Amino acid sequence: QFLKQLGIHPDWQFVDVYGMEPELLSMVPRPVCAVLLLFPITEKYETFRTEEEERIKAKGQDVKSSVYFMKQTINNACGTIGLIHAIANNRDKINFETNSSLKKFLEDSLSMTPEERAKYLETYEAIRVTHESSAHEGQTEAPSIDEKVDLHFIALVNVGGHLYELDGRKPFPINHGETSDDSFLEDAIEVCKKFMERDPEELRFNAIALSAA
């Protein structure tokens, strides 16, 4: 119960997305406020990532200042950072317990830069300890798959009607275009499909949705 340990009310829960087809997506409880994608870091992906970064730096993109984004400096912490990205960008919808360690982390780090947030997480024992104890229990809610370094988590969120990909290995959020609360899951899954299409030989893809309980 990773979310519970971080002091988040059980109004929202992580659920598995069993497939990308409409009938399987219809099984996911709505509303969905974030999707975490687990995928393999391959040579093809790294080539794409470099090209994407150069393209965006040349052309620019629109990123709302309200998007909460942080860099990843802790090895194997992509599951934790994916989770922070998912919760931080939905903090208006999520009920925190009064003594929530994650709520305090978000309040403290709101005015920081993405790099400062990463440094702060390095020193922030409460979240690290929670993450490590969950990883040892090996529960599905805790992205304990962090130990396999060639697999990586990213978060997809809707901020102000735009779908953002948040990946602490990238220099900035990626704006994937317009979305809405109603179409968010389908729109996020379309982004996930692009990851899969870039690496057709790979099977190690897994999506989980942060859904209303």
Side-chain angles (χ1 to χ4, degrees):
Q1 294 294 342
F2 196 34
L3 291 178
K4 196 177 164 200
Q5 283 179 300
L6 290 170
I8 293 165
H9 264 281
D11 317 341
W12 294 88
Q13 61 185 359
F14 278 114
V15 296
D16 286 310
V17 177
Y18 291 110
M20 312 273 168
E21 298 76 33
E23 60 275 18
L24 290 170
L25 292 180
S26 70
M27 293 162 62
V28 177
R30 312 290 172 116
V32 170
C33 70
V35 170
L36 295 185
L37 175 68
L38 179 74
F39 66 96
I41 293 177
T42 61
E43 231 168 283
K44 276 183 189 166
Y45 175 72
E46 291 296 77
T47 306
F48 166 79
R49 186 168 72 101
T50 311
E51 288 166 1
E52 176 190 57
E53 185 181 322
E54 284 165 4
R55 190 176 69 246
I56 291 173
K57 279 180 175 166
K59 288 171 77 175
Q61 64 168 352
D62 185 33
V63 174
K64 288 193 162 53
S65 59
S66 52
V67 175
Y68 182 104
F69 176 66
M70 67 183 291
K71 299 285 287 172
Q72 178 181 340
T73 52
I74 304 172
N75 259 353
N76 304 356
C78 59
T80 302
I81 288 171
L83 180 97
I84 292 172
H85 278 146
I87 303 290
N89 288 291
N90 287 290
R91 54 189 185 281
D92 54 332
K93 301 184 183 81
I94 294 193
N95 291 313
F96 294 94
E97 306 287 352
T98 31
N99 58 350
S100 162
S101 56
L102 184 53
K103 182 183 187 214
K104 186 177 181 316
F105 177 83
L106 294 179
E107 284 171 351
D108 292 349
S109 64
L110 217 50
S111 59
M112 296 179 183
T113 67
E115 291 75 18
E116 287 166 346
R117 289 166 182 163
K119 285 270 172 276
Y120 188 46
L121 183 65
E122 288 176 21
T123 64
Y124 200 82
E125 286 303 317
I127 291 179
R128 291 244 309 285
V129 169
T130 304
H131 168 70
E132 278 156 18
S133 65
S134 307
H136 293 320
E137 286 164 32
Q139 291 182 339
T140 47
E141 290 94 9
S144 56
I145 309 156
D146 280 357
E147 278 105 63
K148 301 193 187 87
V149 180
D150 63 336
L151 291 176
H152 187 60
F153 266 104
I154 56 161
L156 299 166
V157 296
N158 169 12
V159 179
H162 279 257
L163 196 161
Y164 292 96
E165 169 194 334
L166 305 173
D167 178 351
R169 290 177 75 234
K170 292 187 176 179
F172 33 67
I174 309 292
N175 185 338
H176 284 285
E178 291 185 3
T179 188
S180 68
D181 287 344
D182 293 337
S183 67
F184 172 71
L185 177 62
E186 284 72 16
D187 295 339
I189 292 302
E190 284 306 312
V191 175
C192 296
K193 283 180 185 170
K194 287 181 191 157
F195 277 77
M196 297 166 82
E197 285 159 11
R198 281 194 291 268
D199 247 317
E201 300 85 53
E202 267 294 346
L203 299 170
R204 295 174 297 166
F205 291 93
N206 194 0
I208 52 176
L210 187 54
S211 293

